[in-house]
Amino acid sequence: MSLSLTARELAQMRADIEDLMPDECDILRPTVTRDSQGEAIVTYTVKSANLPCRLDYKQGSESISGAAIQPYAKATLTLPWYAVLATNERVQIGTSVYAVKTVNAGQSWRVSVRAEVEAIL
């Protein structure tokens, strides 16, 4: 028994999932330059802008470090199937920026891109 999808069914699944993405985000690509002392300086520029997305928080906590509260937030980010995302990149949703920790790969039917992200404060 084969569980194959037609091109039309796959396109409909992709469209249905994209309809469930209420936000827009930018994928930020790192660029490394060197200062006059030879130290690496990493800056981020927009690689892909205004992509539909959905962010679902999984866990969060606060700790105290250096007499300051340090929040921690871990979430799952969902992007359209055509998005290209790597673990060295960041994602910006509104004014919030997230570091990409893992990106799914190798699924049978590519209907979305999912990534584990952490908030950067």
Side-chain angles (χ1 to χ4, degrees):
M1 175 181 212
S2 175
L3 293 177
S4 62
L5 294 175
T6 66
R8 184 172 181 247
E9 290 168 329
L10 183 57
Q12 185 62 55
M13 289 173 65
R14 289 171 171 168
D16 290 345
I17 289 174
E18 195 166 328
D19 286 343
L20 299 173
M21 297 181 194
D23 299 314
E24 288 187 344
C25 66
D26 296 338
I27 297 175
L28 308 175
R29 172 186 299 150
T31 302
V32 179
T33 57
R34 302 280 176 185
D35 67 11
S36 61
Q37 302 296 315
E39 295 291 322
I41 299 172
V42 181
T43 56
Y44 289 86
T45 56
V46 176
K47 173 178 118 175
S48 299
N50 303 318
L51 287 173
C53 69
R54 178 183 182 96
L55 188 68
D56 296 299
Y57 280 96
K58 294 174 65 173
Q59 67 184 163
S61 64
E62 290 182 340
S63 63
I64 297 179
S65 176
I69 295 176
Q70 301 295 321
Y72 166 81
K74 188 174 186 179
T76 299
L77 175 71
T78 304
L79 297 167
W81 69 273
Y82 54 83
V84 178
L85 185 65
T87 55
N88 67 332
E89 295 174 329
R90 293 183 175 179
V91 176
Q92 183 169 356
I93 302 172
T95 59
S96 299
V97 179
Y98 302 87
V100 178
K101 297 300 180 183
T102 63
V103 179
N104 70 339
Q107 64 269 37
S108 297
W109 300 317
R110 189 173 170 101
V111 295
S112 67
V113 173
R114 305 227 34 211
E116 296 296 323
V117 298
E118 288 181 7
I120 298 174
L121 303 172

